Amino acid sequence: MKPSTKFSFIGLLIINFILCSCTGIGNLEDFLFSGSGNTIKIQQYEDFKIQTLNPDSSGTVNFKYTGGNQAIEIPSTVKKLVIKSDYFYTISTYFAKMNSSSNQNITNSETRYITSKSSNSYLLNNQLEFNTPEIQNQSNQLNRIIWHEDQDELNRRLAELPKNPPIAPKNFSRSAGRSALSVGSTKNIVFGVANGYEKRSATLRALGTNCLVWVIDSEYDDGTKTKINPYKYITTSKAKDMANKFDEIYEIIQYVYGVESDKIYKNNQIYDMADICDSGTKVNIVLGDLDEDASDSTNSYKTGYFYSADYMSSPKSNYGKYIYIDSYVFNKWGNSAYETAAHEFQHMINFSNNYWNFWTNKEYDKAKSSEAWFNEMMSVLAEDMLQSYFNTNDNESSKSRIKRQFTDSYANYGTTYWAGDLESYANVYAYGAFLARNFGGARLINKISTSQKHNEEAITEGLQKIGYNETFESVWKKIPIAFIYKNEDLSLMKNAPTDFIYSKNGKSYSYPMTSFPEDYLNASIYDCNKYNFTAIKEYKTRGFSMHRLESTTNSEISVSLSKPYEINFASIGGGAVNENEKLVFYMREM
């Protein structure tokens, strides 16, 4: 896509006013939501709403801080902001630069910076905590890369699908959902290897109620292979473990995300899988050495994938519901492999909800594949929801992505920017984890997943359906609060709501997404001088960086701002400051 000449940018200045004596949380509007037999209390975070203020003729905004939590937005024409108060405060000041565009990166030369700052008070820089991320030894830790289907390839394949294909007549010779296979059955399965995809012989080693577990024959352990490599090979016992665990979580995941499609396109017709697939409507889980890298010397592992080609005619299709899990990761970090199965199952449901159900029902105008960042965020949240179910420790859970990859690299990424690496997963998860813990937990994820809207619009609709006065963007603007102030009302150091409960046949699960340890949130917070601003070369879509100014005590602080370099605006108004560039100040009293 050719980039637009326009861009959007938001700078977020976060001002922490700390009273010498602490007070409680400010005024918060509550909303009672009734649904599924429960009355749910919705916290609206009214104190964090943003006022928009315009400058006077000199380009100055004067704001009187009156205590509590306050936030203001000033337009890009502002040259100076003066915050005053009638009381004695300790003021700790932060500045975060944010790119509010969802589809365009911006360079640092297109952003504003602080030209000067002053206060009529005593400087208290020695009281300012500067967070320096801890560098982790990752040699024996799990760095999970989940294969993500190439978006361009997916779009090409979907574009090639015909309109109005015939629906095959129903075949009543096989009961819906019943598999024609049994343990010991063999077949060739297209599988992800080091150089792409190849057909590999596989044997069915375990049969579950909702799944079939296959093991690639070259990675099967008949009792002698563990001496060669204790992690590469899969025993029958491990295959049975996978079948049992997936059966346990199958409906738990569906209750939040929806139900995967049972339709397949083959031989130029749409069929029910029960009529044409040898595995019927069951989910096939294929275990093998993905990317052929099973070794302790490998620092990151491709742990699994879902491939939508399995739902349609393609040389790479296995024709049915398939997810693929790495044998090395399963053997070494078993719980993480179960979470990966949940991650991939969400991708299958997402593909069904957003595209396949509409296409097979011939509602072509509604069929649209999710953007990669959104799809991966929803899948990592599935891992998050099941961490407690599998009793996975934090250091091997999705939380570890924030500690290892987000805290020291976030400024070079963005919420809607996707590069397919470890840092991309961490950045999309940071938004999802913050969203879930503060705005509705699994109930919200359910509304987002089952929405007929997509990406940012689905998140906005989900928030508003359960009663929040929020949008995707209004939540996104608040993320720096979780890393600057940590244990605050809007925080990652809190549990998500657990009022959305799966309950069937005496089994229940409330999808707990638990608090992050404080030391996982030590994100880099940069100095505010121009050098550190320009050290970040480019702000990716929905990206931001956080900067500290100073700590002061007394009643006034003044900040002067530059205009972006005039030459960068020649194509959008002959030197005028772009109106999409905004600054938001967040003020807090403690």
Side-chain angles (χ1 to χ4, degrees):
M1 178 185 299
K2 183 178 179 180
S4 168
T5 57
K6 294 188 177 181
F7 66 89
S8 295
F9 166 81
I10 288 180
L12 176 62
L13 279 176
I14 302 180
I15 312 299
N16 174 19
F17 286 79
I18 307 174
L19 277 176
C20 294
S21 60
C22 295
T23 63
I25 296 173
N27 297 325
L28 296 171
E29 177 186 333
D30 293 325
F31 178 86
L32 297 181
F33 173 78
S34 297
S36 303
N38 298 317
T39 300
I40 311 304
K41 190 175 183 179
I42 301 296
Q43 190 173 354
Q44 291 288 10
Y45 306 106
E46 284 297 313
D47 285 1
F48 297 94
K49 296 298 181 182
I50 298 171
Q51 306 175 56
T52 300
L53 302 178
N54 293 313
D56 60 22
S57 58
S58 69
T60 299
V61 164
N62 289 283
F63 176 73
K64 186 173 182 180
Y65 174 72
T66 57
N69 295 309
Q70 296 184 33
I72 60 172
E73 180 179 300
I74 59 176
S76 55
T77 53
V78 171
K79 299 176 182 178
K80 185 177 183 180
L81 173 67
V82 179
I83 300 171
K84 299 180 179 180
S85 173
D86 293 336
Y87 301 98
F88 185 86
Y89 294 99
T90 297
I91 306 173
S92 180
T93 311
Y94 292 86
F95 178 90
K97 298 170 67 176
M98 304 183 82
N99 175 11
S100 68
S101 173
S102 296
N103 53 31
Q104 186 176 349
N105 301 335
I106 61 175
T107 64
N108 59 11
S109 63
E110 295 171 321
T111 67
R112 305 174 85 191
Y113 59 91
I114 302 295
T115 58
S116 65
K117 59 186 185 296
S118 63
S119 174
N120 63 354
S121 61
Y122 176 64
L123 295 182
L124 297 174
N125 283 326
N126 61 324
Q127 293 186 5
L128 181 64
E129 178 183 354
F130 179 58
N131 297 323
T132 302
E134 177 185 358
I135 303 301
Q136 301 295 317
N137 179 0
Q138 299 181 5
S139 60
N140 195 38
Q141 296 176 337
L142 176 58
N143 291 314
R144 292 182 285 173
I145 297 178
I146 318 286
W147 275 9
H148 183 84
E149 186 168 3
D150 181 82
Q151 197 74 30
D152 291 337
E153 179 190 344
L154 172 62
N155 291 337
R156 283 194 300 271
R157 191 183 329 114
L158 297 179
E160 292 171 357
L161 290 170
K163 296 291 177 67
N164 297 311
I167 296 175
K170 181 70 179 174
N171 180 355
F172 292 98
S173 63
R174 184 186 300 169
S175 299
R178 179 174 61 82
S179 173
L181 301 165
S182 59
V183 172
S185 296
T186 60
K187 66 187 296 186
N188 289 327
I189 292 177
V190 180
F191 188 72
V193 295
N195 297 317
Y197 298 89
E198 293 180 3
K199 283 190 176 181
R200 296 290 174 91
S201 62
T203 300
L204 183 60
R205 300 293 178 180
L207 178 61
T209 303
N210 303 296
C211 65
L212 305 170
V213 180
W214 301 82
V215 178
I216 299 298
D217 289 338
S218 58
E219 273 86 76
Y220 178 64
D221 183 3
D222 58 2
T224 64
K225 298 291 183 65
T226 53
K227 296 178 180 179
I228 303 172
N229 186 325
Y231 298 119
K232 178 174 181 176
Y233 300 97
I234 297 291
T235 63
T236 297
S237 176
K238 294 289 287 186
K240 289 179 179 178
D241 288 344
M242 178 60 77
N244 291 335
K245 291 296 185 184
F246 189 80
D247 275 348
E248 290 177 18
I249 65 173
Y250 179 76
E251 290 186 352
I252 290 175
I253 297 170
Q254 287 181 326
Y255 190 66
V256 174
Y257 289 99
V259 178
E260 76 279 11
S261 175
D262 290 339
K263 302 290 186 181
I264 193 166
Y265 175 67
K266 187 177 183 181
N267 301 330
N268 298 315
Q269 296 185 89
I270 298 173
Y271 291 87
D272 288 336
M273 286 184 177
D275 294 335
I276 197 170
C277 297
D278 59 358
S279 54
T281 60
K282 291 188 176 183
V283 176
N284 296 270
I285 303 173
V286 184
L287 305 176
D289 183 12
L290 287 179
D291 216 20
E292 300 172 305
D293 62 352
S295 169
D296 277 339
S297 63
T298 305
N299 290 324
S300 62
Y301 305 91
K302 292 180 179 177
T303 63
Y305 69 95
F306 159 75
Y307 196 34
S308 65
D310 290 327
Y311 266 84
M312 61 193 78
S313 295
S314 167
K316 300 176 183 178
S317 180
N318 288 310
Y319 295 106
K321 303 176 186 178
Y322 281 81
I323 59 178
Y324 308 83
I325 307 295
D326 184 61
S327 58
Y328 182 86
V329 171
F330 185 23
N331 279 316
K332 193 164 186 177
W333 295 283
N335 287 351
S336 294
Y338 301 139
E339 291 172 12
T340 297
H343 179 119
E344 300 308 334
F345 189 38
Q346 189 285 140
H347 283 319
M348 185 183 295
I349 295 171
N350 180 281
F351 173 72
S352 300
N353 286 346
N354 287 278
Y355 194 93
W356 202 241
N357 289 338
F358 294 123
W359 187 83
T360 54
N361 288 326
K362 302 187 178 183
E363 298 178 84
Y364 304 116
D365 58 325
K366 296 180 180 179
K368 182 179 179 182
S369 61
S370 294
E371 292 175 2
W373 70 268
F374 175 85
N375 200 351
E376 293 298 343
M377 180 194 74
M378 297 294 279
S379 278
V380 181
L381 284 172
E383 300 175 28
D384 197 355
M385 290 178 193
L386 291 169
Q387 180 188 349
S388 295
Y389 188 92
F390 294 126
N391 197 28
T392 307
N393 68 64
D394 284 340
N395 207 42
E396 294 179 3
S397 74
S398 51
K399 290 190 182 81
S400 66
R401 297 182 187 276
I402 303 301
K403 181 180 183 180
R404 294 177 193 156
Q405 284 92 37
F406 179 85
T407 53
D408 61 353
S409 66
Y410 74 92
N412 294 309
Y413 286 79
T415 298
T416 62
Y417 171 77
W418 185 254
D421 53 10
L422 292 166
E423 289 76 14
S424 295
Y425 283 100
N427 276 269
V428 299
Y429 174 54
Y431 180 88
F434 180 78
L435 182 75
R437 282 160 178 77
N438 295 282
F439 298 96
R443 181 180 299 278
L444 172 62
I445 305 309
N446 168 258
K447 296 300 182 184
I448 294 170
S449 183
T450 56
S451 171
Q452 291 192 11
K453 296 184 182 296
H454 306 276
N455 309 315
E456 291 186 12
E457 290 184 356
I459 293 171
T460 295
E461 180 181 84
L463 284 162
Q464 295 175 358
K465 272 189 174 181
I466 64 173
Y468 284 102
N469 300 325
E470 302 283 354
T471 64
F472 168 89
E473 180 165 309
S474 69
V475 172
W476 171 76
K477 290 179 183 179
K478 298 177 174 72
I479 293 176
I481 298 168
F483 293 95
I484 291 174
Y485 300 128
K486 297 183 181 178
N487 193 8
E488 171 62 24
D489 194 45
L490 281 165
S491 176
L492 285 168
M493 292 178 61
K494 65 192 293 187
N495 297 332
T498 53
D499 51 65
F500 189 78
I501 301 171
Y502 167 84
S503 182
K504 185 177 180 181
N505 298 328
K507 178 181 178 180
S508 64
Y509 191 65
S510 60
Y511 307 94
M513 288 174 272
T514 56
S515 170
F516 281 71
E518 184 173 359
D519 66 341
Y520 279 35
L521 307 178
N522 289 335
S524 298
I525 299 178
Y526 303 94
D527 288 334
C528 71
N529 61 55
K530 182 178 176 182
Y531 172 78
N532 279 324
F533 279 176
T534 57
I536 299 166
K537 302 301 182 186
E538 186 175 48
Y539 285 81
K540 301 299 194 292
T541 56
R542 295 289 188 185
F544 63 91
S545 61
M546 296 176 286
H547 305 263
R548 64 172 182 173
L549 291 174
E550 61 185 28
S551 290
T552 62
T553 297
N554 211 347
S555 58
E556 180 175 314
I557 184 169
S558 176
V559 177
S560 296
L561 303 159
S562 74
K563 282 204 309 182
Y565 302 118
E566 298 286 339
I567 191 172
N568 295 301
F569 291 89
S571 62
I572 55 172
V577 175
N578 190 297
E579 63 181 10
N580 290 321
E581 184 194 14
K582 305 178 192 306
L583 297 171
V584 179
F585 288 76
Y586 170 75
M587 291 155 278
R588 184 187 67 163
E589 153 190 336
M590 290 185 64

